[in-house]
Amino acid sequence: MSSGERMVDEGESLKNSVEIQGISRAFWACVVTLVSFSLGSLLLMFWLTSAMTSDGLRVNMSGRQRMLTQRLVAMAYASSGRSEADPRSAVIRDEWTAAWERLGEGAVPIDQPTHYAAAQVSYNNVVAALSTTDTTASIDRLDTVAQRFVSDLDALTSALASTESRHVVRLRLVQGIFTAALIAMLLLLHRFALRPTLRNANTMVVAQRLLNAQLSTANDALATSTDELEQQNERLREQRHSLQESEEELRAQQVTLLDQRAQLENAAVVLNRFAGALDATPDYVIMVALDGTVVYANPAAQASIRNVSRHRGRHLLRYLGRDDARRVQAEIVPEAMQCGVWQGELTLRPSSTVEHHANVTIMAQRDRFGYTDVFVVIAHDMRAEHDLRQSLAGREALHRAVIDSLVEGVVVQDREGKIITWNQSAARILGLSNEQLAGRTSYDEGWEATYADGRPLPGDEHPISRARLLGESVDAFQMRVSAQPGHLRHLSVNARPMFMNDLDDRPGAVASFSDVTAEVALSEEMRRLSLIVKQSDYAVTITDRESRITWVNDAFTSLTGYQEAESIGQPANRLRSGVHSAPESLARMREAVERGESLVEELLSYRRDGTPYWAEVAITPLRDAQGTLTGFVSLSRNVTARRVADRERQTLAAALAVTADGIAIVDAAGALEFTNEALTRQLGVTADDLQGRLWLSLYDQPTALSLTSHVRQSVTPLGFWNGEVEARRENGTEFPQELSITALPHGGMVVVVRDISDRRQAVDHLRFLSTRDELTGLLNRRGFMEVSRPVLAGALRAGQPCALLYGDLDQFKQINDKYGHGCGDRALQEISKILVATFRTEDVVARLGGDEFTVLARGLTPADLPALLLRLEQTVAAHNARRSGDPTGDWRLGLSLGVAYAKAGDAENFDALLKRADAEQYLVKSERRRRSAA
């Protein structure tokens, strides 16, 4: 290439570089402009979105304020007639105030200053009106200003909604402008930056390729001439070196051949030895290809596996069990290929009828490229080991069964002193689970081991520790352990050292032990019983089979007066009976002895000095372990006092049985010891049903609590209480009782029960007659005063008003004079029925005397009175219409009523209220006379 061409090319390159720099600056200017415009648009959209959100929240808050305002007005109307304000109004008013404050938070919208100012003025007016709502006018004013406030809120809401709509339009406009501007900027960027840049880049690439082609042509020509010269020189040098190398190669090949010959001879020796080892080993050695075919089998494999030498190329899986064949394909071969070796146990089938287990090693052999080409399988026949293992397992199971069947506990410790095995009897005797026994030592403080006398037993002195550490044999060692709280056991322990083999110098130990807790307890019980028998208050006599005395205790001497020396060898009945002893009792005792049976008999006996006494004699036969009768033991006690007490008790029971009052004896625990027939008749039960039953269970819970209080406050300190209670029969009916309770000196009580149902009915009937009007059946003056006073007081305490109506029958004197007192009484009865039918059941209706009637109506207000009086007048008019033409007398009923009201806080009493009602009734009658005269 000439210098002029090179200058032209350099000029073109410089021109292209300048153009690329200009395009780059234009590209980055477009990018900066695009980013700035995008950020500005995003900020504007964010501001518009925030304004829309704020306007939406204010619209919602305005609607909430409107609803709360209407609720406040409604609650003001609802509470106008009440003495107390509704507590919910304060909560709603606080919520209403807070809602207005949240509505006014932040700057007032620029487009609605007038609406917001008008709403603020209306809000202040509503606040001022809410402060005074005690009158109807103030509530009406509150309703007016609230309606104005609601109208201003609606106007403000409409303005806020229109502002929100404008913001939505602006936001959509900004989004459209932003999208259009973005598209325009991207088009300009592509037109003025990207396209020129790509065009200039392509031009420069083409020019560079032309220049490279020219330089390559020149270099090729120069290299061709140089290579031709060098090739000639190289051919000469190569010919010389080739001759020298040929000579050296021949010498090296000679040496290599000699080395290879020696290595082959050594390898042949090794292979012969390896082949001999393979032929001599009893294990199966098989070489298997990747496809599972057998390519080699040693003599042991050929001899054991059927015709394996004639079936080379057959699949190895033919000689495996079905499950193991699948396992080899799915798991073992991949593992051997990955790890290089696999070891485990497989089932071989050397013939169609024989299967046995083998310990198999599979090794993957790799070629020089690292890929697996064959597998070497070494299988060790485990039939002998398997048979030996089964034999050992059978013997071990037999030994384990023998040990587990032992009643004695057996534990084995290793040379470290830890328990390694045990039988179930050991766990049962010690009260421990298998997990708690495993690994424990004799030094564990949890055993709480002691000698038989209670002294602590150190771990080194434990029998099994002595056998393990000292090699001693220990027999019948008595000790106590408490492996669990409350599980103390007395043990008799035998221990022996246990060597694992002849060379073992550190033996373990085995110990067997039996639970002798019962034997120890029996021995202790026998010792205590012997002491108890000697010191017993019962006279104890032991005789042989012929009833001759062989042993007596001190109580026998005290009871009979006979000493032990003069009693031994004497017939037992001779020392018991006397002149007046019952022959039939003696005969029953002789018969029981002859039959070898037990007997309890009461016998009149005589002391050595001739003093008679009643004795209770219990005879029990004694038998040995084979059940042979060896003698008798008899227990005797003096029951003379009891016989006297029983006779007195029978006399007393006979007297109690005929009394009309129920009588019960209650022990210190509150259970019934004795009940007479009168009490069982009252309660409708039998004496057996009451025996041992808790006395208070005869009453309901409130009555039982009241009786408990009376017993505690009166019977215990004073010894007596009398009162009336409500009792319950077995069938559930209740009746009144009069109780008299007297404390007994040594605990318990005597309860005398009297059924006072007849007396209570008589008293109730007298009380009813004293409070009722005999003619009408209504309350009389006394009954009205007793009933009405508490009713009025309770109503006033509950905040309820009451109305007292007082009146008399119109023209009652004329009815009596004209038609007779019978018609007058009938008029009084009929007006009483009308009053009872007109008023409620809870209202108190009474006849005070003559033709005067009164009614106490609870909860009746002045507003309710006109409707009530109208209903009463209509009932009286209907009654008069039905009586029209009555042959007994054409008289008409009429009633003049005066009303007095009482409400909570009134200081006047019931008598003053009655006087006011009487005065009102007088005014009503006067007004009626005046209208009649007019």
Side-chain angles (χ1 to χ4, degrees), residues 18 29 266 527 622 685 739:
V18 171
N266 293 333
R527 186 186 66 81
L622 297 176
V685 295
L739 296 181

Side-chain angles (χ1 to χ4, degrees), residues 153-272:
L153 284 176
D154 292 340
L156 180 60
T157 302
S158 301
L160 289 173
S162 62
T163 302
E164 183 181 9
S165 301
R166 289 195 296 273
H167 286 160
V168 171
V169 173
R170 292 170 183 171
L171 178 61
R172 292 178 179 174
L173 179 62
V174 169
Q175 289 176 345
I177 294 173
F178 173 73
T179 303
L182 182 62
I183 295 172
M185 292 296 294
L186 291 175
L187 293 175
L188 291 175
L189 182 63
H190 179 266
R191 174 67 181 82
F192 295 104
L194 295 179
R195 288 179 59 186
T197 301
L198 294 175
R199 185 172 58 253
N200 290 334
N202 290 332
T203 303
M204 293 178 64
V205 168
V206 172
Q208 186 65 35
R209 288 178 179 174
L210 293 175
L211 180 59
N212 291 339
Q214 293 174 358
L215 291 176
S216 177
T217 302
N219 289 334
D220 291 342
L222 181 61
T224 300
S225 59
T226 305
D227 290 341
E228 290 176 355
L229 294 175
E230 290 181 354
Q231 287 175 0
Q232 293 177 359
N233 295 330
E234 187 65 26
R235 282 196 295 271
L236 294 176
R237 286 194 295 270
E238 288 179 355
Q239 290 176 1
R240 181 180 176 181
H241 286 297
S242 62
L243 293 175
Q244 294 177 352
E245 290 176 356
S246 298
E247 184 178 2
E248 292 177 356
E249 287 178 358
L250 290 175
R251 293 176 181 173
Q253 288 177 359
Q254 185 178 4
V255 173
T256 301
L257 290 174
L258 293 174
D259 293 339
Q260 290 178 353
R261 179 181 178 182
Q263 292 176 0
L264 289 174
E265 291 176 352
N266 293 333
V269 173
V270 173
L271 288 175
N272 289 332

Side-chain angles (χ1 to χ4, degrees), residues 695-753:
W695 169 57
L696 292 178
S697 66
L698 303 177
Y699 304 94
D700 56 19
Q701 186 174 7
T703 304
L705 293 176
S706 176
L707 287 174
T708 303
S709 176
H710 291 314
V711 170
R712 186 183 300 112
Q713 296 177 4
S714 299
V715 178
T716 301
L718 303 178
F720 180 79
W721 178 81
N722 177 266
E724 295 181 3
V725 297
E726 293 294 328
R728 185 176 63 250
R729 294 188 176 88
E730 189 68 17
N731 59 9
T733 60
E734 293 185 351
F735 67 99
Q737 280 183 349
E738 181 181 11
L739 296 181
S740 296
I741 304 176
T742 304
L744 293 176
H746 302 292
M749 302 177 297
V750 176
V751 182
V752 179
V753 181

Side-chain angles (χ1 to χ4, degrees), residues 313-334:
R314 300 293 295 274
H315 208 281
L316 177 63
L317 299 181
R318 291 169 51 87
Y319 309 112
L320 296 177
R322 182 177 302 173
D323 295 337
D324 287 344
R326 289 195 293 265
R327 184 176 165 214
V328 166
Q329 285 181 316
E331 302 177 7
I332 297 176
V333 169

Side-chain angles (χ1 to χ4, degrees), residues 805-817:
L805 292 83
Y806 186 92
D808 57 11
L809 194 61
D810 294 340
Q811 299 179 353
F812 178 65
K813 186 175 183 305
Q814 290 81 349
I815 295 175
N816 271 336
D817 294 343

Side-chain angles (χ1 to χ4, degrees), residues 27-215:
F27 172 77
W28 285 109
C30 292
V31 170
V32 170
T33 303
L34 179 62
V35 171
S36 300
F37 179 75
S38 300
L39 290 176
S41 300
L42 290 175
L43 290 175
L44 181 58
M45 285 188 288
F46 176 76
W47 178 82
L48 289 173
T49 304
S50 299
M52 289 169 58
T53 303
S54 176
D55 290 339
L57 291 176
R58 292 192 181 194
V59 168
N60 293 335
M61 192 58 65
S62 176
R64 177 69 176 172
Q65 188 73 6
R66 186 179 187 278
M67 183 269 293
L68 290 175
T69 302
Q70 294 174 347
R71 185 179 295 181
L72 280 175
V73 174
M75 293 188 69
Y77 274 113
S79 61
S80 61
R82 300 178 183 175
S83 58
E84 296 181 359
D86 193 338
R88 296 177 299 173
S89 61
V91 177
I92 296 176
R93 181 172 178 178
D94 294 340
E95 186 179 357
W96 177 75
T97 304
W100 177 255
E101 292 176 355
R102 289 195 296 271
L103 181 63
E105 287 178 357
V108 178
I110 298 175
D111 296 339
Q112 294 83 30
T114 303
H115 297 298
Y116 186 80
Q120 180 65 45
V121 172
S122 300
Y123 171 77
N124 294 333
N125 293 336
V126 173
V127 171
L130 282 173
S131 60
T132 55
T133 58
D134 51 351
T135 63
T136 305
S138 60
I139 295 175
D140 293 339
R141 181 178 179 277
L142 172 63
D143 188 16
T144 302
V145 297
Q147 292 296 331
R148 180 58 183 172
F149 180 55
V150 169
S151 301
D152 293 339
L153 284 176
D154 292 340
L156 180 60
T157 302
S158 301
L160 289 173
S162 62
T163 302
E164 183 181 9
S165 301
R166 289 195 296 273
H167 286 160
V168 171
V169 173
R170 292 170 183 171
L171 178 61
R172 292 178 179 174
L173 179 62
V174 169
Q175 289 176 345
I177 294 173
F178 173 73
T179 303
L182 182 62
I183 295 172
M185 292 296 294
L186 291 175
L187 293 175
L188 291 175
L189 182 63
H190 179 266
R191 174 67 181 82
F192 295 104
L194 295 179
R195 288 179 59 186
T197 301
L198 294 175
R199 185 172 58 253
N200 290 334
N202 290 332
T203 303
M204 293 178 64
V205 168
V206 172
Q208 186 65 35
R209 288 178 179 174
L210 293 175
L211 180 59
N212 291 339
Q214 293 174 358
L215 291 176

